[in-house]
Amino acid sequence: MSETRVLPPTPVRATGTSNEPALGPLGLFTLLLGAALPLIDFFIVNVALPTIDHDLAAGPALLELVIAGYGLSYAVLLVLGGRLGDMFGRRRLFLVGMAAFGLTSLACGLAPDAWTLVGARVAQGAAAALMLPQVLATIQSATAGPRRARAMGLYGATAGLSMVAGQILGGVLVAADVAGSGWRAVFLVNVPVVLIGLVLAARSVPRTRSAHPAPVDVPGTVLLAVALLTLLAPLTEGRAAGWPLWTWVALAVFPLAAVAFYRVERHADRQGRTPLVPPSLFGLLSLRRGLALVLPFSIGFGGFMFVIAVALQQGLGMGAVASGLALVPMAVAFFGASLAGPRLVVRYGTRIVTAGSVLQAVGIALLVLTVRRDWPDVGFLELMPGVALAGFGQGLQLPVIFRLVLSEIPAERAGVGSGVMVTTQQSALALGVATLGSLFLSLAGSGGMRQALTVTLLVQLGMIALTALLSLRLPRTVS
């Protein structure tokens, strides 16, 4: 089995033995900054959609594409991004991806019309797919023992917090209207952050790559792209476009593409080649059962964040800042729980995921009661108990799930493993926006916002219940 080389860049030097972790605190901070950017940008647009529609006369279908274009290219290319990092070096791909993310963010912020914005968002998603897999792969390859556990906990905290912070930051930037930039600020703010990140990454992120990297699996890459596109594209665009014929054709093609992808990958694995997604990876119990939790958790999370942004702004008439600030208790509670998670896991094992699911369910149930009782007089104080408890429960779950999924993946497959996990998460987030978002908007048009929000939250409760049940099958300990 091949080994992973860890070569710290000048002036950062690893000390001690060659097996000692080479990722220092500044390097970890830089990687987490890179992890935060793509997730923030997936959600930051939610609160900016009304002003984008007003300024660019986009219309519902193009507004859906502003979100979906980013999510589709991001999800489709993540596994390939992980493989390229294994081949050409993870720090190099991290730097290239971050630079491209900054340039595409600038293109989004300067877009003169809606179609240009959609194209720039697709390119931005592709840049994110180059950058993000290198974060987990570098952590997996350049840390060990307690330092890896701490780094994975911080990654999970960053991922969850970024999803909530995206909408908070988006609301503040749109309302601030810096130099008359309006919605454009949600993209332009990335540019100085990227410049800082590039300087820090060049100085502090260690060089890691697979000693014997496998070539790109072209058939697998193409079939995975077809499978994800034929599933996600019609679900995200179908409602806004009126469910034309192409959406049904795409959905019919999806299972055929998925089966073809599995067979091609299995054949390559049996022939001794290295497929894009090695089926043998799913022989790892921790990865298989961890990914099973990522799906319902992320579907519910993605749908909730989209639906709550629409409900607060269009249903309750809150401004961009007020709707963002309504989620601050969720962000604070999530961060606090994720910091406490590593200590709790040592004592209680993966049962902490089950406890987190129960707390999240209680929080969502409180939100359902609040909506049913107080609508339309629902404000920050009424929402706070429910969103805070839901955020605390999510914070107990997500970092542990991420750590569990990657716990048994060997270092030479770190890029592939991280790509598979993040692809699963990103696809599920997009599915959540598409399915729960479409359900909410359809019900809002016929039965009103109150009824639509209630039903959607109850569906999310079902997702949380499934997560709780699946968590009972997890290995009791996490390495």
Side-chain angles (χ1 to χ4, degrees):
M1 188 172 290
S2 57
E3 297 180 353
T4 297
R5 295 179 293 165
V6 180
L7 306 172
T10 304
V12 177
R13 302 279 184 191
T15 58
T17 68
S18 59
N19 293 325
E20 188 172 342
L23 180 63
L26 184 59
L28 178 59
F29 170 81
T30 305
L31 289 173
L32 295 179
L33 179 66
L37 285 172
L39 290 168
I40 286 174
D41 266 62
F42 185 81
F43 289 96
I44 199 171
V45 179
N46 284 347
V47 293
L49 289 176
T51 53
I52 293 174
D53 187 22
H54 178 268
D55 288 356
L56 302 183
L62 278 180
L63 286 178
E64 292 274 2
L65 275 177
V66 170
I67 298 175
Y70 176 86
L72 286 172
S73 62
Y74 185 24
V76 164
L77 297 173
L78 274 165
V79 179
L80 178 61
R83 172 63 61 83
L84 292 175
D86 288 347
M87 291 176 62
F88 298 110
R90 292 159 191 144
R91 186 180 76 143
R92 179 182 298 174
L93 265 292
F94 182 78
L95 288 166
V96 170
M98 181 172 276
F101 192 84
L103 290 173
T104 52
S105 295
L106 181 63
C108 289
L110 300 179
D113 54 61
W115 277 111
T116 304
L117 177 59
V118 169
R121 284 283 283 172
V122 171
Q124 189 186 34
L130 284 180
M131 176 171 59
L132 188 60
Q134 319 315 327
V135 175
L136 280 170
T138 302
I139 291 173
Q140 193 77 355
S141 300
T143 61
R147 294 186 65 181
R148 178 182 294 175
R150 179 174 175 272
M152 288 302 302
L154 288 172
Y155 175 85
T158 300
L161 192 61
S162 297
M163 291 185 251
V164 181
Q167 293 190 187
I168 298 171
L169 180 61
V172 172
L173 288 173
V174 170
D177 194 20
V178 180
S181 58
W183 59 268
R184 299 178 188 275
V186 304
F187 300 113
L188 296 176
V189 70
N190 291 331
V191 177
V193 176
V194 163
L195 292 175
I196 294 170
L198 288 172
V199 173
L200 294 177
R203 294 178 58 85
S204 64
V205 174
R207 296 184 182 97
T208 69
R209 59 177 294 177
S210 176
H212 302 287
V216 172
D217 173 16
V218 176
T221 301
V222 172
L223 286 170
L224 178 62
V226 172
L228 289 174
L229 284 171
T230 52
L231 174 65
L232 297 177
L235 289 178
T236 52
E237 278 296 296
R239 186 198 60 83
W243 297 104
L245 178 61
W246 72 264
T247 60
W248 299 108
V249 172
L251 288 172
V253 169
F254 163 68
L256 302 177
V259 170
F261 171 71
Y262 172 74
R263 288 183 174 177
V264 165
E265 298 298 274
R266 185 178 62 177
H267 179 71
D269 215 8
R270 289 177 173 176
Q271 294 295 313
R273 302 193 300 271
T274 305
L276 184 70
V277 180
S280 56
L281 271 184
F282 292 90
L284 300 174
L285 182 68
S286 57
L287 180 137
R288 190 169 66 248
R289 293 188 176 177
L291 288 181
L293 265 74
V294 169
L295 281 170
F297 180 92
S298 298
I299 289 172
F301 201 151
F304 173 82
M305 296 305 294
F306 175 78
V307 165
I308 201 70
V310 176
L312 294 181
Q313 290 192 79
Q314 297 183 15
L316 296 177
M318 289 186 180
V321 173
S323 63
L325 291 178
L327 297 176
V328 167
M330 174 177 279
V332 172
F334 188 105
F335 189 65
S338 60
L339 290 181
R343 293 191 299 273
L344 294 173
V345 169
V346 171
R347 184 170 182 179
Y348 300 107
T350 56
R351 289 297 174 260
I352 200 68
V353 177
T354 309
S357 300
V358 172
L359 290 173
Q360 184 189 3
V362 173
I364 297 299
L366 283 176
L367 286 177
V368 171
L369 293 175
T370 299
V371 170
R372 297 298 299 173
R373 183 187 65 229
D374 298 330
W375 191 276
D377 300 316
V378 178
F380 178 86
L381 292 178
E382 289 78 16
L383 292 170
M384 184 170 63
V387 296
L389 199 54
F392 193 84
Q394 290 164 339
L396 290 178
Q397 296 172 74
L398 194 61
V400 180
I401 294 172
F402 282 171
R403 179 178 163 190
L404 180 73
V405 169
L406 298 177
S407 61
E408 296 178 345
I409 294 177
E412 68 273 7
R413 287 187 167 184
V416 176
S418 62
V420 169
M421 189 188 76
V422 180
T423 298
T424 304
Q425 180 201 20
Q426 182 60 37
S427 300
L429 288 172
L431 272 176
V433 174
T435 54
L436 296 185
S438 294
L439 173 66
F440 172 78
L441 293 172
S442 298
L443 292 174
S446 58
M449 285 278 183
R450 177 191 179 194
Q451 182 67 17
L453 184 56
T454 300
V455 172
T456 308
L457 289 174
L458 289 174
V459 172
Q460 191 192 0
L461 268 178
M463 294 286 181
I464 298 169
L466 177 58
T467 304
L469 290 173
L470 289 173
S471 71
L472 296 175
R473 301 181 67 243
L474 292 176
R476 287 300 300 267
T477 59
V478 184
S479 60

